[in-house]
Amino acid sequence: GQLAVNSVAARSLGASALKPEKSRSINLGLVAQPWDRFNLTVDAYRIEIRDRIIQGGTYTGATAINALTAAGISLPTGLSSVSASYFANGVDTRTQGVDVVATYTTNLGAGRIDWDLGANVNTNSILRTAVDTNGRPLLNAQQAGYLTTSTPKNKVILGGVWSQGPWGVSLHA
């Protein structure tokens, strides 16, 4: 089960009160129109989050059962597996990357096509992993992997929008 941080069961597993997350970001952008009908933007960023709230403190088996029963939670007999977790200020993270967007307009008969190319490259990393009040890490390998790899490192989108009067068609890949 997902336990409230201030519950007896979560406290017995090592939970402590949640603190607000704190973030710091640095951004640098460039906008250019080097040719007629061609626009280019480049944005670089770095975002650090301290005391990031994660689902941490995940326990299974006897440890979870003991915490739940000590808190007065009765469990049905015959359970094959039991897990308990709580939210915690478990990690400090950093995300940094670059976004590039280029657009170019061409005429097509009575209409026009606005071509666009967008690319993003970024990395997510864990700077610090916290421990619970019992000295156990709040983040396991699976959770760490999710935080660092759940979003693509690279992305490219190519497409265009044809428009004529009130009509428009968009195609992107």
Side-chain angles (χ1 to χ4, degrees):
Q2 182 69 45
L3 305 172
V5 172
N6 60 353
S7 69
V8 173
R11 296 292 178 164
S12 72
L13 290 173
S16 56
L18 290 174
K19 302 181 283 189
E21 295 177 336
K22 294 182 180 168
S23 66
R24 178 175 44 190
S25 66
I26 300 169
N27 306 299
L28 179 63
L30 169 72
V31 177
Q33 187 177 18
W35 305 288
D36 189 36
R37 299 184 295 172
F38 180 74
N39 295 300
L40 178 69
T41 64
V42 179
D43 294 298
Y45 55 90
R46 180 178 184 160
I47 304 162
E48 293 183 358
I49 301 174
R50 285 185 309 172
D51 298 322
R52 186 168 172 173
I53 297 173
I54 59 162
Q55 182 176 339
T58 302
Y59 300 92
T60 59
T63 305
I65 292 169
N66 292 341
L68 294 170
T69 55
I73 299 169
S74 59
L75 302 171
T77 57
L79 288 177
S80 60
S81 89
V82 174
S83 68
S85 62
Y86 53 86
F87 286 99
N89 297 101
V91 295
D92 295 348
T93 60
R94 176 184 297 143
T95 301
Q96 56 189 15
V98 176
D99 288 324
V100 179
V101 177
T103 60
Y104 184 72
T105 301
T106 58
N107 293 324
L108 182 66
R112 72 180 210 190
I113 300 176
D114 295 316
W115 300 99
D116 56 81
L117 172 68
N120 170 263
V121 177
N122 73 55
T123 59
N124 296 305
S125 55
I126 295 173
L127 305 176
R128 179 191 63 85
T129 300
V131 295
D132 65 16
T133 59
N134 297 320
R136 297 181 191 140
L138 288 169
L139 199 63
N140 63 32
Q142 180 181 6
Q143 293 163 314
Y146 178 77
L147 282 174
T148 58
T149 63
S150 65
T151 57
K153 285 186 175 279
N154 307 302
K155 178 174 68 172
V156 177
I157 299 174
L158 173 64
V161 177
W162 169 82
S163 58
Q164 183 175 345
W167 296 98
V169 176
S170 175
L171 180 64
H172 288 86

